[in-house]
Amino acid sequence: TNTQNDANSSSKSGVTVTDVSSVVSSAMPSVVAITSKTLVESRNDYSQDIWEYYFGGGNSGNNKSNSYEEDAAGSGIIVDQTSTELLIVTNNHVVEGADSLKIQFAGTESKDSVDGYIKGTDSTKDVAVVAVKLSDISSDTMKTIKVATVGDSDSIKVGDTAIAIGNALGYGTSVTVGYISAKEREVSAEDVTMKLLQTDAA
């Protein structure tokens, strides 16, 4: 978003202050917090097996395993609404392998979170689409959320203000501000090369 059009700037004593609160207020209803739970099974390590064999009075425990739930948290953006679903774009690493997903909408408490499910993923670009049934969302929440207005990345210029809104590390919604540092930045990961926008917004 170009903050020259959407935010107020003022300069005092040579310091430029940019107020992005109007942009944040407009975008926040489209941002969601996502938490996932994954059941992880791990076998006892070798030293534990030896200890149980000699001191526990049983076999070596080669077939023993422990299971525990692993939590992950991230952010998502509401990008579309069909007649039955709300569609949300997020990172693949947030939902990959998840056994269950909970979606919390901006302005609601955690107890108001609803179940989500994966519609599709692209691990090479770390992108996933998650859906929520409209029937699971309360009428009050539907009044406070909205589909995001998606911009045109081709029109972005280096030096434009970048505003990051999301559920950082699961602590809740936060806002950081930076700049578009570069365009067409080539990044390689897992034998895949992508051209990306670079920003210094945390």
Side-chain angles (χ1 to χ4, degrees):
T1 304
N2 187 341
T3 56
Q4 290 178 345
N5 298 328
D6 298 301
N8 300 319
S9 296
S10 62
S11 181
K12 295 180 180 179
S13 304
V15 177
T16 301
V17 179
T18 302
D19 178 7
V20 298
S21 59
S22 61
V23 178
V24 173
S25 295
S26 176
M28 193 71 79
S30 305
V31 179
V32 304
I34 302 174
T35 55
S36 66
K37 290 186 180 294
T38 305
L39 187 64
V40 179
E41 292 199 13
S42 63
R43 292 185 58 203
N44 290 335
D45 62 27
Y46 179 75
S47 60
Q48 181 69 23
D49 290 347
I50 294 298
W51 177 270
E52 290 184 2
Y53 180 79
Y54 284 105
F55 301 102
N59 63 37
S60 64
N62 286 334
N63 296 321
K64 290 185 178 181
S65 64
N66 296 315
S67 61
Y68 60 94
E69 279 192 337
E70 193 173 74
D71 296 335
S75 312
I77 306 166
I78 302 171
V79 292
D80 199 8
Q81 179 179 329
T82 70
S83 58
T84 58
E85 297 174 322
L86 210 58
L87 300 177
I88 298 162
V89 169
T90 185
N91 291 116
N92 181 63
H93 71 260
V94 173
V95 300
E96 188 173 22
D99 294 304
S100 65
L101 297 174
K102 287 288 185 182
I103 313 298
Q104 182 183 349
F105 299 100
T108 63
E109 298 180 10
S110 58
K111 61 182 174 63
D112 296 324
S113 60
V114 297
D115 292 329
Y117 48 96
I118 298 171
K119 293 284 285 188
T121 63
D122 185 345
S123 59
T124 60
K125 292 182 172 59
D126 195 24
V127 174
V129 175
V130 171
V132 173
K133 291 180 181 178
L134 293 180
S135 57
D136 291 340
I137 306 172
S138 71
S139 57
D140 288 341
T141 298
M142 286 299 298
K143 294 175 185 176
T144 64
I145 62 178
K146 69 177 184 179
V147 174
T149 301
V150 181
D152 179 6
S153 58
D154 290 335
S155 66
I156 290 176
K157 301 184 294 295
V158 173
D160 277 349
T161 301
I163 306 168
I165 307 171
N167 180 31
L169 301 176
Y171 287 114
T173 305
S174 60
V175 178
T176 61
V177 178
Y179 297 95
I180 298 298
S181 307
K183 297 179 65 175
E184 302 292 317
R185 182 70 80 200
E186 286 196 358
V187 177
S188 297
E190 298 181 2
D191 300 324
V192 176
T193 299
M194 294 173 282
K195 289 187 177 180
L196 306 175
L197 296 170
Q198 179 184 339
T199 177
D200 64 339

